[in-house]
Amino acid sequence: MQVQRINRRWGEVNLPKIGRVRFRWTKDLPGVTRGGPQGRITGARLVKNAFGWSIVFRTETLLPALRQAHPGPAVGIDRGVTVALALSDGTTREHQPWLSRGEREHLRRLEKKSARQRATRAQGRPQGRPQGRPQGRPVSHRLARTYAQIGRVRAIAKRRALDWQHQTTTELADTFSLIVVEDLKIPGMVRSAKGTIEAPGRNVAQKAGLNRSISGEAWGRGVTLMEYKSAGRGGKVVKVPAAGTSQTCHRCGHRDPAARQGIRFACTDPGCGWAGHADINAAINIEHAAGTAVSGRGDLTVGRSAKRQPPHAA
C-alpha cells in the first residue's frame, strides 16, 4: 500500500484501481511512524458511514512479555438497561443519553419530515399502484438528503457510545484481574414479540422499546473489548450461566422471582431479609459463579480458584 506520512496531520496510501489517496492521520502506525510501535501493517479496509469515507488499517505489533499476573481483584459485572454496568464491589458505571435533548428533538423532527416526504410521494402515484418505494427504485433527492441528516445524528450517538465503552472497559481491565460476566444469548433477547396471525404477541410496543435499549447498550461489543484488553494486561474474562443470577439472594442463596421489584431486591427468606440494589446483588452472584464458567479468555493462571467462593457477608 506504500503508506507515507506527509506531515503531522496527513498521510497518503495507494489504493487498488484508485491510486494515491490522502487521509487524515489520527494514530501512530507501526513501521511508518518514527518512534512508534514496532510491527507492520498487514492490511486495510475502506469504511463508509454518515460522515464520509474512512480507512481502517490492520496492524501487527509486538507486545512486551508479561512478567507477572495482574495484581488486581476479581469482580462480577451485571449488564443492564437502567444501570449500564453494576459491579460486585458495590459501584456502577453509568452514562448520560447518547444524544442531548436538542439532538433528540432534531432527530424526531427529521424522522417526521421523512415520513411526510414518503407520504407525499405516495399520494402522487396513480390509482392502483403500490404505496411506498418499489424495491430497487431510487428515492427522491429531498428524501435522500433527509435520510443523510438522520444518519449523521445517529452516527454521532454511535460514536459517543463506542467512546464510552472504550474508556470504561480500559478502566475495568486496568483495575481487575478477573472479570466475570453472564453468558447472555443477546440475539434471542432482542427477538421481536409480534408473533403470528394465529398467535399474536402481547406488549409488542414495550418489547420493541426494550429491544432498542438493549441494542443501544451493545452488550456483546463491550465484552469483546474487555476480553482483549484484559488479555493484554495479564487478566482474564470468563462467562458464566445467566440463569437465576437476578432472582437469588447473594447472602443466603434463597431464590424467588418475586424478590426482585425493579431495581430493588428484597430477600423473601424470613431468616435472611437482605435488601439492596438488585443489579449489585446480581453482580455478586455472577462473581460467585466464576467456578462454573462456560468460556474464558486471558491468562488461565490469573484470578481465584476454580472452586465456588463463599458468599459475601454483606
Side-chain angles (χ1 to χ4, degrees), residues 254-256 258-259 265-271 273-274:
H254 178 68
R255 181 173 177 178
D256 184 5
F265 184 92
C267 183
T268 56
D269 187 354
W274 182 88

Side-chain angles (χ1 to χ4, degrees), residues 26-183:
T26 58
K27 192 174 183 180
D28 292 340
L29 294 175
V32 180
T33 306
R34 293 183 179 178
Q38 296 182 353
R40 62 193 181 96
I41 299 175
T42 59
R45 61 189 177 95
L46 295 177
V47 179
K48 187 179 187 302
N49 56 23
F51 297 100
W53 288 93
S54 302
I55 183 169
V56 181
F57 291 100
R58 183 177 66 249
T59 62
E60 183 181 81
T61 57
L62 300 177
L63 297 178
L66 296 174
R67 298 182 179 178
Q68 60 182 2
H70 196 300
V75 69
I77 298 180
D78 179 67
R79 293 164 287 174
V81 175
T82 305
V83 177
L85 299 176
L87 277 60
S88 58
D89 61 0
T91 62
T92 61
R93 303 295 186 273
E94 302 181 62
H95 57 77
Q96 298 295 326
W98 305 130
L99 295 176
S100 65
R101 181 181 300 179
E103 290 169 334
R104 292 195 299 270
E105 176 63 21
H106 181 53
L107 178 61
R108 186 186 68 85
R109 293 186 178 184
L110 288 174
E111 290 174 341
K112 292 181 65 176
K113 181 180 179 180
S114 68
R116 289 195 304 268
Q117 290 173 340
R118 291 194 302 269
T120 302
R121 184 169 184 177
Q123 290 174 1
R125 295 182 181 276
Q127 293 294 330
R129 293 194 58 180
Q131 298 293 319
R133 178 175 62 92
Q135 187 175 3
R137 294 285 298 277
V139 299
S140 65
H141 293 299
R142 289 183 300 171
L143 185 55
R145 286 195 297 268
T146 305
Y147 282 158
Q149 292 173 332
I150 292 174
R152 281 192 289 270
V153 177
R154 291 178 176 173
I156 291 173
K158 184 176 181 179
R159 285 188 172 187
R160 290 173 181 170
L162 183 60
D163 178 71
W164 180 85
Q165 279 192 323
H166 269 294
Q167 295 189 42
T168 304
T169 54
T170 299
E171 182 256 327
L172 294 174
D174 288 337
T175 306
F176 301 102
S177 63
L178 176 63
I179 300 176
V180 189
V181 296
E182 294 175 301
D183 184 27

